[in-house]
């Protein structure tokens, strides 16, 4: 890769890595895994960088790799993603902000991975149904039904007794 | 207030997701490290490609199978009727090596099945088909993948085609899908029109859709969803056939080309329930050859 392209790639990573890691974190719920996923995606991006002629396609490509790496990892191993019925003791929050965060992370973990991916893509990445379907390689109808189920799962997870803190109860239920 | 439904303002859930993020730890890698790892990957891939090309060529010569090489260097076989079922070159490279795609239970090659299904959909002649970018297309084109419902590794294949339709009355959107039988234990979610015949195995947003069902002469359960009148003027009509063998076919139209945020492209339905039903009940639109 030429120096100019290297510079472009560096600029992209510097500007976008944090944002991409946040997306990965919402998918997997673990900052270390999120970082691994993003690194994997960026390494693949580098290998393909010279073939991407449309700058606006870079985000779409990277996003797609992140989701695929996440889903592939899920298929290979179930050990990391057993839904937690209750928050671990260590996660007992000290403030409403931390409590909110842990509640939502735990609730997201209970949403099946592919539905979670749909929710993150549609509501975090603001992707339209069409783009989400293209990225996941499924029909738009499937995206819609997965969205509906994902929201239902998330709603149910948040509604469990003793899980939703007062600060979120009014907003989400 | 509740979590948003599919077409509600997405900002509420986005706010919820923002709460999940909280304080981020510092990034544990640098762009330079990624570049170095990327360079290693490129070198490894080039070495592997050189070996792979020799192997493919040797195989082609050895068994006399015609091998086409597309502009990405991937080898593809011609599909039935001499029509290549390979996708057109994308604007971006493939995100990762394609995962092996399980053929339909019949053993039919999915690419071949996609071509077969495209030929099975008959549309009124006064409609012009375009792809979702508004470009004239050569007809309906099915893509396919595993319908990984609930992450079930035994999930069946799903074939789907999306196309923009322009005809009398304006523009609309058509989607046709064909799905294999759902895996055992597939969760029964939703309540389909209180329809015991389908055991609730269909999502139905009864607040937004009307829903009727009937049994076709061949035994397929036909379910028709219609989006209820709404201030935005959105129209949507979905006809779903649940076939006795467990496979499904659906045909749906709406007056939006891409997303609910768009302005409706017409004020009337583009295809009637009868036309959509004819599509999904056509024996040729079958998951199995």
């Amino acid at each position: 890769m030429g120096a100019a392209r290297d510079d472009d790639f560096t600029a992209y990573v510097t500007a976008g890595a944090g944002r991409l890691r946040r997306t990965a974190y919402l998918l997997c719920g673990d900052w270390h895994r999120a970082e691994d996923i993003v690194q994997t995606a960026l390494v693949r991006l580098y290998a393909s960088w010279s073939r991407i002629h449309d700058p606006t396609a870079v985000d779409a490509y990277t996003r797609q790799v992140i989701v695929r790496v996440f889903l592939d990892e899920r298929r290979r191993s179930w050990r990391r993603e057993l839904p937690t019925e209750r928050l671990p003791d260590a996660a007992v929050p000290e403030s409403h902000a931390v409590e909110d965060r842990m509640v939502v992370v735990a609730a997201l973990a209970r949403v099946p991975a592919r539905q979670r991916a749909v929710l993150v893509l549609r509501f975090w990445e603001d992707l339209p149904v069409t783009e989400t379907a293209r990225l996941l390689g499924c029909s738009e109808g499937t995206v819609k039904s997965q969205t509906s189920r994902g929201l239902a799962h998330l709603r149910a997870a948040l509604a469990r007794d003793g899980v939703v803190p007062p600060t979120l109860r009014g907003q989400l239920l | 207030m509740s979590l948003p439904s599919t077409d509600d303002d997405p900002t509420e859930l986005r706010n919820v997701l923002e709460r999940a993020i909280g304080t981020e730890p510092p990034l544990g890698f640098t762009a330079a490290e990624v570049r170095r790892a990327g360079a290693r990957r490129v070198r490894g891939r080039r070495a592997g490609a050189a070996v792979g090309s020799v192997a493919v060529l040797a195989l082609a010569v050895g068994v006399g199978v015609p091998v086409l090489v597309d502009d990405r260097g991937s080898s593809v076989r011609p599909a039935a009727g001499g029509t290549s079922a390979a996708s057109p070159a994308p604007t971006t490279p493939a995100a990762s090596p394609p995962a092996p795609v399980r053929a339909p239970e019949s053993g039919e090659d999915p690419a071949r099945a996609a071509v077969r299904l495209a030929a099975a959909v008959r549309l009124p002649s006064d409609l012009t088909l375009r792809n979702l970018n508004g470009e004239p297309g050569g007809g309906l084109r099915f893509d396919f993948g595993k319908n990984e419902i609930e992450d079930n590794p035994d999930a069946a294949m799903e074939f789907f085609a999306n196309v923009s339709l322009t005809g009398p009355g304006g523009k609309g959107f058509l989607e046709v899908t064909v799905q294999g039988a759902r895996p055992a234990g597939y969760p029964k979610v939703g309540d389909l029109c209180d329809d015991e015949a389908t055991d609730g195995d269909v999502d139905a947003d009864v607040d937004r859709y009307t829903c009727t069902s009937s049994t076709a002469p061949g035994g397929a359960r036909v379910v028709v969803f219609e989006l209820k009148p709404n201030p935005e003027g959105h129209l949507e009509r979905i006809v779903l056939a649940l076939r006795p063998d467990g496979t499904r076919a659906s045909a749906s139209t709406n007056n939006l080309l891409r997303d609910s945020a768009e302005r409706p492209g017409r004020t009337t339905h583009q295809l009637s329930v009868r036309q959509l039903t004819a599509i999904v009940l056509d024996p040729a639109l079958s998951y199995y050859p």
Side-chain angles (χ1 to χ4, degrees):
Chain A
M1 188 183 291
R5 283 198 164 276
D6 261 0
D7 290 346
D8 288 346
F9 181 80
T10 298
Y12 177 76
V13 172
T14 303
R19 174 175 49 81
L20 296 170
R21 190 178 60 160
R22 285 192 284 278
T23 296
Y25 174 73
L26 289 173
L27 291 171
C28 71
D30 180 289
W31 284 112
H32 294 295
R33 285 177 59 202
E35 195 153 297
D36 288 346
I37 290 171
V38 171
Q39 272 189 282
T40 300
L42 290 174
V43 167
R44 290 185 190 177
L45 174 66
Y46 181 89
S48 303
W49 189 256
S50 61
R51 291 184 288 141
I52 299 178
H53 304 298
D54 177 5
T56 62
V58 175
D59 273 345
Y61 174 80
T62 313
R63 198 182 286 128
Q64 186 169 31
V65 177
I66 285 173
V67 172
R68 287 189 182 178
V69 169
F70 163 66
L71 291 175
D72 287 347
E73 186 184 58
R74 283 269 306 138
R75 285 190 201 100
R76 283 196 296 269
S77 171
W78 292 87
R79 70 184 187 280
R80 293 173 174 172
E81 194 122 15
L82 294 175
T84 52
E85 292 298 317
R86 294 185 179 279
L87 294 178
D89 290 343
V92 171
E94 295 179 353
S95 69
H96 283 317
V98 175
E99 185 180 7
D100 283 0
R101 188 176 76 76
M102 296 306 298
V103 163
V104 178
V105 169
L108 277 172
R110 294 192 189 101
V111 178
R114 197 162 174 91
Q115 293 172 14
R116 198 184 322 155
V118 170
L119 294 184
V120 169
L121 291 172
R122 291 204 56 201
F123 295 101
W124 178 254
E125 293 284 345
D126 284 333
L127 297 187
V129 171
T130 303
E131 180 65 11
T132 304
R134 190 197 62 77
L135 193 151
L136 290 172
C138 64
S139 69
E140 298 190 15
T142 296
V143 168
K144 290 177 183 176
S145 66
Q146 296 270 317
T147 302
S148 173
R149 289 181 202 150
L151 287 172
H153 269 112
L154 184 57
R155 190 180 294 117
L158 289 168
R160 292 190 177 190
D161 286 344
V163 174
V164 181
T167 49
L168 276 181
R169 192 178 294 277
Q171 183 179 6
L172 297 174
L173 301 180
Chain B
M1 190 179 293
S2 63
L3 279 173
S5 63
T6 307
D7 293 324
D8 281 349
D9 182 357
T11 56
E12 186 180 349
L13 182 55
R14 185 180 175 85
N15 291 339
V16 172
L17 297 176
E18 277 182 357
R19 285 171 186 249
I21 288 176
T23 306
E24 299 176 50
L27 206 60
F29 62 86
T30 65
E33 289 169 344
V34 172
R35 284 204 317 269
R36 282 194 291 274
R40 283 196 299 273
R41 179 181 171 88
V42 170
R43 285 195 296 272
R45 198 168 61 183
R46 282 174 182 156
V51 174
S53 298
V54 172
V56 168
L57 184 60
L59 181 65
V61 170
V63 301
V65 175
V67 175
L68 310 177
V69 178
D70 68 14
D71 58 359
R72 289 168 291 159
S74 303
S75 60
V76 295
R77 286 172 186 272
T83 304
S84 172
S87 304
T91 54
T92 57
S96 61
V101 177
R102 192 181 64 167
E105 288 71 12
S106 65
E108 183 183 23
D109 176 55
R112 192 173 296 235
V115 174
R116 173 175 60 79
L117 293 171
V121 179
R122 298 176 184 85
L123 295 170
S125 58
D126 59 350
L127 296 177
T128 302
L129 277 59
R130 295 176 183 272
N131 66 23
L132 295 183
N133 293 323
E135 301 153 349
L140 212 56
R141 179 182 178 279
F142 276 83
D143 290 318
F144 53 85
K146 281 184 72 170
N147 189 351
E148 294 165 5
I149 300 160
E150 307 289 349
D151 291 325
N152 189 325
D154 295 325
M157 292 281 293
E158 178 184 40
F159 296 85
F160 48 94
N162 304 300
V163 68
S164 161
L165 298 175
T166 303
K171 291 180 181 177
F173 169 90
L174 170 71
E175 177 173 274
V176 181
T177 73
V178 178
Q179 300 172 22
R182 303 254 168 149
Y186 176 71
K188 309 299 183 191
V189 286
D191 182 8
L192 171 66
C193 308
D194 296 324
D195 180 10
E196 294 180 358
T198 54
D199 197 18
D201 190 15
V202 174
D203 288 324
D205 185 348
V206 294
D207 292 334
R208 300 176 56 234
Y209 291 86
T210 60
C211 177
T212 57
S213 64
S214 59
T215 301
R221 195 72 182 168
V222 178
V223 187
V224 179
F225 299 95
E226 295 256 13
L227 187 63
K228 292 178 179 176
N230 55 79
E232 295 80 15
H234 294 170
L235 300 172
E236 186 170 20
R237 175 175 279 165
I238 306 165
V239 177
L240 171 66
L242 307 174
R243 294 181 166 149
D245 63 2
T247 63
R248 305 167 171 228
S250 74
S252 62
T253 60
N254 65 46
N255 61 349
L256 307 168
L257 296 184
R258 281 178 176 271
D259 199 47
S260 59
E262 291 190 354
R263 196 174 55 185
R266 54 189 294 126
T267 57
T268 57
H269 283 291
Q270 199 154 31
L271 293 174
S272 67
V273 171
R274 181 184 294 270
Q275 287 172 309
L276 293 172
T277 303
I279 290 173
V280 298
L281 288 182
D282 191 325
L285 193 74
S286 168
Y287 186 73
Y288 300 109

